[in-house]
Amino acid sequence: MKIEDFPLEERPYEKFLKYGEQSLSDLELLTILIRTGTQTKSSMDIARELLVDEKGRTNLLRLYENNLERLMRIKGIGKVKAIQILTLLEMSKRLSQTTYSHKMKWQSPKDVANYFMEDLRHKKIEQFLVVYLDTKCKCLGYEAISKGSLNASIVHPREVFKGAILKSAYSIIALHNHPSGDPTPSREDIQITNKLKSSGEMLGIGLLDHIIIGDGLFISFKEQGYL
């Protein structure tokens, strides 16, 4: 069915105008964004293809599994629509970070985790970041050190502390994600943390924390007593 064939009260645009955006389901919100379908697929059909999993459940996080090429393989999504969808996803990440931008002087592991949560929780591979801090725990910047399964050869103290030295950082916070969604530290995570802690002590640059990001969850090595 085309959207125009839906009963008036079931059309996303009309529901938006009558009841507001909060009345719309995830599927209906994406339907409005997609706007038009094809001769054989409505805009809602396309939205359903993007959001509904094999068990029939609607999951907005499925959008993060796409890139430009993958979106354009879906019939009814051309380059412009694909770019619009990816732009929306990037904006959602930045809005999440903007919410915490006034807390760039991070006071707690939760502040740090909240700032990076939306960016890292959707990654399909592990990404290791280092946050550089001054004497008042004000952020001097951050950068990605490695991507892929963490091991001692990839996350080398030389790479981790190089940026800290260049920025004259007083301390650092290590941060990485677990694509499984479970932030429980692995044996490798603990080994790497101990190695970075020892290296930092020799350089006079403290490792304040190592935070692991899961799916809406995080674990702080400091809070868990590892540091």
Side-chain angles (χ1 to χ4, degrees), residues 92-226:
S92 71
K93 293 178 185 177
R94 296 187 187 187
L95 279 170
S96 175
Q97 291 185 335
T98 300
T99 303
Y100 294 94
S101 62
H102 66 286
K103 293 183 178 180
M104 289 299 279
K105 181 181 177 181
W106 286 313
Q107 303 283 352
S108 70
K110 184 178 180 180
D111 289 339
V112 182
N114 282 337
Y115 186 84
F116 290 99
M117 179 65 70
E118 290 308 309
D119 188 30
L120 290 179
R121 66 185 289 201
H122 310 295
K123 302 290 186 186
K124 294 303 179 184
I125 60 173
E126 291 190 16
Q127 185 167 325
F128 190 93
L129 306 180
V130 178
V131 180
Y132 308 114
L133 304 169
D134 67 9
T135 55
K136 297 181 179 180
C137 287
K138 182 179 178 181
C139 179
L140 299 172
Y142 57 87
E143 64 179 321
I145 299 298
S146 71
K147 293 182 180 181
S149 297
L150 298 190
N151 58 57
S153 62
I154 293 177
V155 184
H156 195 281
R158 178 181 60 249
E159 301 302 320
V160 171
F161 288 98
K162 181 170 65 176
I165 293 170
L166 291 173
K167 291 182 180 295
S168 299
Y170 178 77
S171 59
I172 66 169
I173 295 173
L175 192 93
H176 82 278
N177 63 303
H178 278 180
S180 67
D182 179 1
T184 303
S186 66
R187 183 174 62 180
E188 192 79 48
D189 295 335
I190 296 170
Q191 290 173 345
I192 288 170
T193 303
N194 291 334
K195 189 171 184 179
L196 293 179
K197 182 177 182 293
S198 299
S199 300
E201 288 172 350
M202 287 190 290
L203 292 169
I205 301 173
L207 175 66
L208 284 190
D209 206 345
H210 183 176
I211 295 172
I212 302 177
I213 299 292
D215 188 5
L217 307 168
F218 75 92
I219 277 183
S220 158
F221 274 57
K222 183 177 181 179
E223 289 182 341
Q224 293 295 315
Y226 291 106

Side-chain angles (χ1 to χ4, degrees), residues 11-166:
R11 299 178 191 176
Y13 285 94
E14 282 69 16
K15 284 182 67 175
F16 182 102
L17 292 172
K18 188 171 183 178
Y19 303 110
E21 62 273 22
Q22 292 182 343
S23 69
L24 300 179
S25 67
D26 295 342
L27 187 63
E28 290 168 331
L29 288 169
L30 185 57
T31 297
I32 288 178
L33 180 66
I34 291 173
R35 197 169 60 85
T36 59
T38 67
Q39 289 185 338
T40 58
K41 294 167 65 178
S42 70
S43 52
M44 187 170 286
D45 291 330
I46 298 170
R48 188 175 290 108
E49 189 171 345
L50 286 168
L51 295 186
V52 178
D53 62 22
E54 60 280 356
K55 295 183 179 180
R57 297 173 299 193
T58 300
N59 184 358
L60 271 177
L61 294 180
R62 293 195 73 205
L63 286 175
Y64 284 96
E65 299 173 3
N66 294 289
N67 55 28
L68 186 65
E69 294 75 20
R70 196 172 297 133
L71 284 171
M72 289 175 61
R73 291 193 203 112
I74 297 174
K75 189 175 181 181
I77 297 184
K79 183 180 289 187
V80 173
K81 284 184 183 177
I83 290 173
Q84 289 173 336
I85 291 170
L86 294 174
T87 298
L88 176 67
L89 296 178
E90 182 60 28
M91 284 181 65
S92 71
K93 293 178 185 177
R94 296 187 187 187
L95 279 170
S96 175
Q97 291 185 335
T98 300
T99 303
Y100 294 94
S101 62
H102 66 286
K103 293 183 178 180
M104 289 299 279
K105 181 181 177 181
W106 286 313
Q107 303 283 352
S108 70
K110 184 178 180 180
D111 289 339
V112 182
N114 282 337
Y115 186 84
F116 290 99
M117 179 65 70
E118 290 308 309
D119 188 30
L120 290 179
R121 66 185 289 201
H122 310 295
K123 302 290 186 186
K124 294 303 179 184
I125 60 173
E126 291 190 16
Q127 185 167 325
F128 190 93
L129 306 180
V130 178
V131 180
Y132 308 114
L133 304 169
D134 67 9
T135 55
K136 297 181 179 180
C137 287
K138 182 179 178 181
C139 179
L140 299 172
Y142 57 87
E143 64 179 321
I145 299 298
S146 71
K147 293 182 180 181
S149 297
L150 298 190
N151 58 57
S153 62
I154 293 177
V155 184
H156 195 281
R158 178 181 60 249
E159 301 302 320
V160 171
F161 288 98
K162 181 170 65 176
I165 293 170
L166 291 173

